[in-house]
Amino acid sequence: MQYIYSFKEGDRNMKETLGGKGANLAEMTKIGIPVPQGFTITTDVCDLYLKQNGYPAGYNETFEKYIKELEDEANKCFGDCENPLLVSVRSGAAVSMPGMMDTVLNLGLNDKTVEGLIKKTGNKRFCYDAYRRFVQMFGDVVLGVSHDLFEEALNHAKIKKGVTNDTDLDAEDLKNLVAEFKKIIKENTGEDFPEDSKKQLNMAVEAVFNSWNNQRANTYRRINKITGLKGTAVNIQTMVFGNMGESSGTGVAFTRNPSDGINEFYGEYLINAQGEDVVAGIRTPNKIDELEKCMPEIYKQLTGIRKTLEDHYCDMQDIEFTIEQGKLYMLQTRNGKRTATAALKIAVDMVEEGRITKEQAIKRLNPEQLDQLLHPMLDPKAEKKVIAKGLPASPGAAVGKVVFTADEAYEWAKERDEKVILVRKETSPEDIHGMHAAQGILTSTGGMTSHAAVVARGMGKPCVAGCGAMHVDYPNKKFSIGDVEVKEGETITLDGALGQVILGEVPTIEPELTSDFQKIMSWAKEMKKMGVRTNCDTPQDAKVARDFGAEGIGLCRTEHMFFDETRIKNMREMILAKDTEGRKKALEKLLPYQKEDFKGIFRAMDGLGVTIRLLDPPLHEFLPQKDEHIEELALEMDFPVSQLKAKISSLHEMNPMLGHRGCRLGITYPEIYEMQVKAIIEAAIEVSAEGIVPVPEIEIPLVSSVNEFTYLKDRLKKVVDAYEGKINFPYKFGTMVETPRCALIADEIAKYAEFMSFGTNDLTQMTFGFSRDDIGKFLSDYIDSGILEVDPFESIDQNGVGKLMQWTVEKGRQANPEIEIAICGEQGGESNSVKFCHKIGLNYVSCSPYRVPIAILAAAQANLE
Amino acid sequence: MQYIYSFKEGDRNMKETLGGKGANLAEMTKIGIPVPQGFTITTDVCDLYLKQNGYPAGYNETFEKYIKELEDEANKCFGDCENPLLVSVRSGAAVSMPGMMDTVLNLGLNDKTVEGLIKKTGNKRFCYDAYRRFVQMFGDVVLGVSHDLFEEALNHAKIKKGVTNDTDLDAEDLKNLVAEFKKIIKENTGEDFPEDSKKQLNMAVEAVFNSWNNQRANTYRRINKITGLKGTAVNIQTMVFGNMGESSGTGVAFTRNPSDGINEFYGEYLINAQGEDVVAGIRTPNKIDELEKCMPEIYKQLTGIRKTLEDHYCDMQDIEFTIEQGKLYMLQTRNGKRTATAALKIAVDMVEEGRITKEQAIKRLNPEQLDQLLHPMLDPKAEKKVIAKGLPASPGAAVGKVVFTADEAYEWAKERDEKVILVRKETSPEDIHGMHAAQGILTSTGGMTSHAAVVARGMGKPCVAGCGAMHVDYPNKKFSIGDVEVKEGETITLDGALGQVILGEVPTIEPELTSDFQKIMSWAKEMKKMGVRTNCDTPQDAKVARDFGAEGIGLCRTEHMFFDETRIKNMREMILAKDTEGRKKALEKLLPYQKEDFKGIFRAMDGLGVTIRLLDPPLHEFLPQKDEHIEELALEMDFPVSQLKAKISSLHEMNPMLGHRGCRLGITYPEIYEMQVKAIIEAAIEVSAEGIVPVPEIEIPLVSSVNEFTYLKDRLKKVVDAYEGKINFPYKFGTMVETPRCALIADEIAKYAEFMSFGTNDLTQMTFGFSRDDIGKFLSDYIDSGILEVDPFESIDQNGVGKLMQWTVEKGRQANPEIEIAICGEQGGESNSVKFCHKIGLNYVSCSPYRVPIAILAAAQANLE
């Protein structure tokens, strides 16, 4: 096993071993792009180090050898007082992971080597600036001393001197700051700052390794479902300096616009600065095209590299560069993060440019990211009280209550179920959990490539960054913009596409879909094999879903139809009836309403299958529970209060989830299902006369034994048979698969059912023994501690629930090769679940209208894989 | 396919085709016992008749042929006015089934043939008596006219004449009664009584067939779990008459005493009577040994036949006979129903007599029947107010509230969860559901072979029959014995072994086990392969179970241990603690109690495995729910009421069965499980010092993912490891299999667990999606309508839950061949479930102490099968 690779040894295919950053540095070296030389310690070393709590045998010798080679090539010596080698140390896993320790620059400096550097560069101020930056970074990221303490000391120095910019501090000020910083380190860690360069290097490498398992990194991996990696690689690279005066500088850029995907060079730079100054958002940088005026040669070289990289990688690149005294170095390239809009535009453009095939375009998109495009946007006609404008850092509309810390954002969202907007001066990796929990993010400093902007775009969350007019007052939990003051808990709206901050809540409208979106969808549809339907209960939603590409309805819940004012009255009359006759009378009144519902849905889904689930929830859900409401109802229905209370109490259940609901209701009160089937068939007959083709599929819920199904099917078939001669459309009877037992006897059921559809919400509840209503108390503990990898209600638990699904498909198809098997649980619109469903051979997935495009794209990817 | 067999053609191996009765009539014919000749229509004909609603092709010709043969042999003619053939028509399935139509006697009589019979016998009274009996039976069982109407008319005739006995009515009276009965039939059915003999016969045969599917028969099959039969056979047999004067008679007898098993001839007879008079309990019959004086020759012949039949069948026989004018005929023989005591004694005696092997003895016993012997009996020292004595018809003690109809018995028991005693003048097959629901049965008329007595013995229910001193007053819902009046709802106690009726409730004591029981148990233990443990939580119960043969504890629930007054206080302190420290402090106080519990249990189970389940129920079960109790507790604990209420409300769950319980608690509050494991290990160390060998098996409940198990095992193993050097006993860590997911990932779990035990109560709940607390509303509907064959909480649902169990065994053993797999759900003591567990290869079953012998016997039978 090779522990270390120099940049000349590796290539971009070695991401697993060298990490993304290391592999790309090697690749750039290979294709002749100027890269400061260095080497990469592999992820294998990280893995061994963490497991054994130390380095593997022979590692130290190898390490010495690569250091020596680097010294020879640079003609500098590590820790040398005359001609010291300075390096950067950066983490880099196979997948980019903001939660880990990121970078230490200028490593190698100490009180002696700084003097050597001064002699060599003749620039004392630069050298002490580099030194104080190093001590600060090392103290923060390697030694864990809060960076606020260093910032405070820096501010204090500026105030003392009466200046506002860092650049106004001279060499002596900076030298004093170095001493000050070391004192802070000593006070906070009990240890002296390590003067020995080799020791510094070792400590930095170990800090990178250990950051692999810190909480932020774990959180990031959990949220992004990143598993199966060995660890992080460490890149050690010769320093180049963007802060060696006015002929130096540093910048970050994207080869296309990551916000809208337009094919333009997009980025920012700072003259006389190190990279962190751009990313951290402390100084507001210049736009990249301004560099053309300022350094035309460098700009020309940079645009050349932009083209080379895109030609080589066939994807939009996110690059970092440094100009050291007029010479350009590339420090990093990687596939750039982008908004969903940009992802679609870039994919479509690159197909049209002939750079990639349609299949490659489809494969590289992240289905979950489409979510951003499919949610409602702010109604442009609505009145908006715009109180400020910042940078449009990540598009979309967000409404929520203002909070000022990530912890509060998390708590308000999780525990109080509140929608929140996280407002910060700037964000940092510690804030990830709060950003994830928030609806949107607003910062007062930082640019389009600041931490807040990059992370928000990755998460698909609206973000307004660098809103300089905003003054954030953490201690008093408020912010102010001019005269307007907004306190914690007050509602604001963000328009991430326009960078607007709006007071109060603004109404939203449906998103408009771009031609890029339509193109991608049409390609995906051609490439997928599995069907995609929608879960919806109204003609309006059915239309939305069909526009999004839904090929039918996989779950139409009929219970929601009973909550309208008139209907709930009839429903309650039915529940309170003394006998079958009384129930039938009340149901008679509901029939016309149900019929109208179904007619609307059949019209919207003309020619496509519509799976209608018969009444599922327990009857007590239709009755009030609070005393005052019970009394009101009793008055309204002219029913004695005591009897009403007795009825409600008789319907009470210990575990309603496992109680008298689904087909169990249908068996006890067959007249309910009979009315529903009557409504379905009559609606279908009536729309048929309009020239519509209805395809009703009648679904019996919560089946756990074959006799339940056959009993009800036989009974309901008689209702249908009464319309003999009038039925000129196809119809089916089938069942939900929600109980584990239904899956276990799939072969028996399949003999009588024409379709089966996994209700994976209930199936997951029963397979785990988790009540969704009650797991709040421990599910997040379970996920945080890694007891569960994912929330099984978000993504199918393939190892448990998935086994029951596979069993069902196998046994069900053996018994009835013609049977249609599908899923209609919420996981049916989650991309990993969609891929699993493709793999086990389902006929279709069904999900909420807004997730239909996600499912279509995932289904296409599954089929391409 | 042969539709009909004459008695000369069949034998006892043809039960499936000829039914039990037909096969035995043929067998008796074969071995030379005097049987009135006849033939049997097969169960296949019944099956075809019911499916096609008519007879199969060629059946009618065959039927005519067999009738002709019978006429030839009897030298009589069916429907002949001079020399008429009279027959009995009886149902007879492969398994005896009291719910079906039973018997029509004297079929063939009409206004013309009765004259022929008079001429032939010269006994007009006998002939009209036979005729009125026939019309009555035919009206009742074939035409469905209530037999009360006929009885009323008969009583009316007696009153009119001023006599009390049927025998006091003369020929003319009986002739008038026949006319009266026919009028009743016409009034109630709208049809004339059929005079044509062939029509009578056809109607009777069809009535037998149709009775196969009547409600009573279905109920009987359901209660007795009889499935897979084709239908009933019909036996048509030449009539012989026990009512042809003083040299005639009829009787029923058992070849040994069915109550205690003693090897004595045991039965009853009536002179000048037909069989129904004995069984129906209307006249009180004589004991069989009195026949020796009355008809010594017949008695000698009968005792000869008794021996022949026992030698031939190697089992106790239940026989019916008729003496017609001094000639003995056997009408039936079958294996006799018996009490558990008798079953054991007969089995042991027959082994000792060399009639059967030990294996045969074990195989023929019904494990469920042992239940009778294992329940507490009346305390002989208790004061008892015996108000009457009847026949000791079925042994055992029963305490309950008096009810007077079968429907009430059923309702009170099922809906109000009351224990009831069913009090009737006499019982009939319509009462089966009420008898099943009652604790015991008390009748005022009828003997040891009356309906009530026979059925109660079969069900293992205490019964006092023929309590002549008791006057039952149905309209006023009370009975009186002398001056004592007992009303509906008042409590009485029955001692079925002594025939005592006792006022009020009498305390009970543990049963004493006979040497027969001990012998059977020792044989069964040798013959079984699978282990049998017990579920118990106290040293007392552990001792009882070990005496019954338990080989360890399969489930020791620790939560019950916290409900004692001092402990619940500490438990509540723990729950209300603000932090881990507070919880630990409260748990510290609980530790000594837990330790003492475990020490007692280890002592009782010296050398045997003790599986201890860590805390399982949700914490809210330990807190009060009612406002007044909450206020009391707040006062007692010096805790603000509002905070206590808030805490209780925060612990409330929508579906507590699927909530924060089991290992989920253990993960949130590891200190609870740590205290419990500490208590277990310290208890084991301390009893070890006494020379006891403790074998603790620590069980983690409600696991649904492998990480839950490994997380807790690792953590708890550390607790054990702290006692290193002091542990000189074996111990294990294992898990319950209660969630379907735990079964689905059995292979993963088995890598880390040393044992797995099916908690089939929860597993059944989750597999079906049935909450045991809530299914009351529909489970009985499900079973009555045949949607479910058995209550899956009583007997393992082999087709669903059983599949998960098989999967677990297969995958679990593949991953860890050493793993011990067991069951500790309530079904572990039910014989069919025990046999299933043997079949799938479990290491042991575990059940409540009183069911241990049942499980041992069932395990032996499973191994012999």
Side-chain angles (χ1 to χ4, degrees), chain A residues 668-836:
Chain A
T668 329
Y669 308 117
E671 51 278 7
I672 302 178
Y673 281 11
E674 284 168 352
M675 179 279 281
Q676 293 197 294
V677 169
K678 220 168 144 183
I680 293 168
I681 296 299
E682 288 185 5
I685 290 171
E686 290 172 23
V687 297
S688 266
E690 302 166 9
I692 297 286
V693 180
V695 189
E697 302 178 351
I698 299 164
E699 185 172 54
I700 297 172
L702 210 70
V703 165
S704 67
S705 73
V706 68
N707 292 340
E708 289 172 324
F709 183 74
T710 53
Y711 176 88
L712 285 170
K713 184 186 163 187
D714 291 350
R715 194 150 178 155
L716 299 174
K717 186 72 172 52
K718 280 187 199 130
V719 174
V720 180
D721 288 345
Y723 296 91
E724 217 190 317
K726 293 183 191 163
I727 296 174
N728 60 349
F729 48 83
Y731 68 91
K732 288 180 181 176
F733 278 99
T735 178
M736 291 273 269
V737 181
E738 290 157 293
T739 67
R741 195 172 191 279
C742 190
L744 292 166
I745 57 157
D747 48 347
E748 294 177 42
I749 303 267
K751 280 183 217 148
Y752 307 100
E754 288 154 289
F755 66 90
M756 298 201 280
S757 181
F758 293 107
T760 40
N761 301 347
D762 273 357
L763 191 60
T764 302
Q765 294 198 84
M766 293 182 208
T767 303
F768 275 93
F770 283 167
S771 159
R772 274 193 90 165
D773 294 320
D774 303 311
I775 47 170
K777 282 162 199 142
F778 60 89
L779 188 67
S780 58
D781 287 351
Y782 265 46
I783 290 176
D784 289 348
S785 65
I787 287 178
L788 281 179
E789 275 183 15
V790 293
D791 177 350
F793 295 105
E794 246 176 49
S795 185
I796 288 172
D797 158 45
Q798 299 186 14
N799 205 16
V801 175
K803 277 197 193 120
L804 287 175
M805 292 173 70
Q806 277 178 286
W807 172 279
T808 303
V809 173
E810 197 181 304
K811 299 289 170 179
R813 292 252 164 82
Q814 267 170 27
N816 176 4
E818 298 303 312
I819 197 162
E820 194 168 48
I821 307 182
I823 180 176
C824 59
E826 279 176 31
Q827 299 98 329
E830 186 274 338
S831 55
N832 286 328
S833 305
V834 171
K835 288 176 187 177
F836 176 74

Side-chain angles (χ1 to χ4, degrees), chain A residues 650 654-658 664 707-708 740-741 744 748 767-769 771 774 777 782 786-787 797 799 803, chain B residues 650 654-658 664 707-708 741 744 748 766-769 771 774 777 782 786-787 797 799 803:
Chain A
S650 82
M654 289 293 292
N655 297 289
M657 228 278 301
L658 309 179
R664 299 163 196 174
N707 292 340
E708 289 172 324
R741 195 172 191 279
L744 292 166
E748 294 177 42
T767 303
F768 275 93
S771 159
D774 303 311
K777 282 162 199 142
Y782 265 46
I787 287 178
D797 158 45
N799 205 16
K803 277 197 193 120
Chain B
S650 82
M654 289 292 292
N655 297 290
M657 229 279 301
L658 308 179
R664 299 163 195 174
N707 291 341
E708 289 173 324
R741 194 172 192 279
L744 292 167
E748 293 178 43
M766 294 181 207
T767 303
F768 276 93
S771 159
D774 304 310
K777 285 164 197 139
Y782 266 46
I787 287 178
D797 158 44
N799 205 20
K803 275 192 194 127

Side-chain angles (χ1 to χ4, degrees), chain B residues 717-736:
Chain B
K717 186 69 172 52
K718 279 185 200 133
V719 175
V720 180
D721 288 345
Y723 296 92
E724 216 190 317
K726 292 184 190 163
I727 295 175
N728 60 350
F729 47 83
Y731 68 91
K732 290 179 180 175
F733 278 99
T735 179
M736 292 275 269

Side-chain angles (χ1 to χ4, degrees), chain B residues 461-570:
Chain B
K461 291 212 187 281
C463 174
V464 174
C467 181
M470 174 172 76
H471 175 72
V472 180
D473 178 358
Y474 289 136
N476 295 307
K477 295 193 175 185
K478 63 180 185 181
F479 72 76
S480 55
I481 295 171
D483 292 344
V484 182
E485 252 189 27
V486 177
K487 294 204 186 92
E488 183 185 75
E490 290 183 1
T491 298
I492 62 170
T493 300
L494 299 182
D495 184 331
L498 299 174
Q500 291 176 338
V501 183
I502 304 156
L503 209 59
E505 180 172 350
V506 178
T508 55
I509 54 157
E510 297 308 309
E512 214 176 318
L513 298 173
T514 63
S515 67
D516 294 327
F517 177 86
Q518 305 291 4
K519 269 181 206 156
I520 291 288
M521 279 298 118
S522 73
W523 297 345
K525 276 190 184 173
E526 281 164 29
M527 290 173 206
K528 78 182 176 60
K529 212 178 99 192
M530 186 170 59
V532 175
R533 292 194 185 183
T534 189
N535 300 345
C536 77
D537 319 330
T538 65
Q540 296 75 34
D541 282 356
K543 205 192 151 301
V544 169
R546 193 164 189 174
D547 290 345
F548 277 151
E551 297 155 325
I553 291 180
L555 176 63
C556 174
R557 301 173 203 85
T558 52
E559 48 269 24
H560 298 166
M561 301 173 178
F562 295 119
F563 280 100
D564 154 297
E565 212 176 315
T566 325
R567 304 184 190 189
I568 190 128
K569 214 182 144 190
N570 296 334

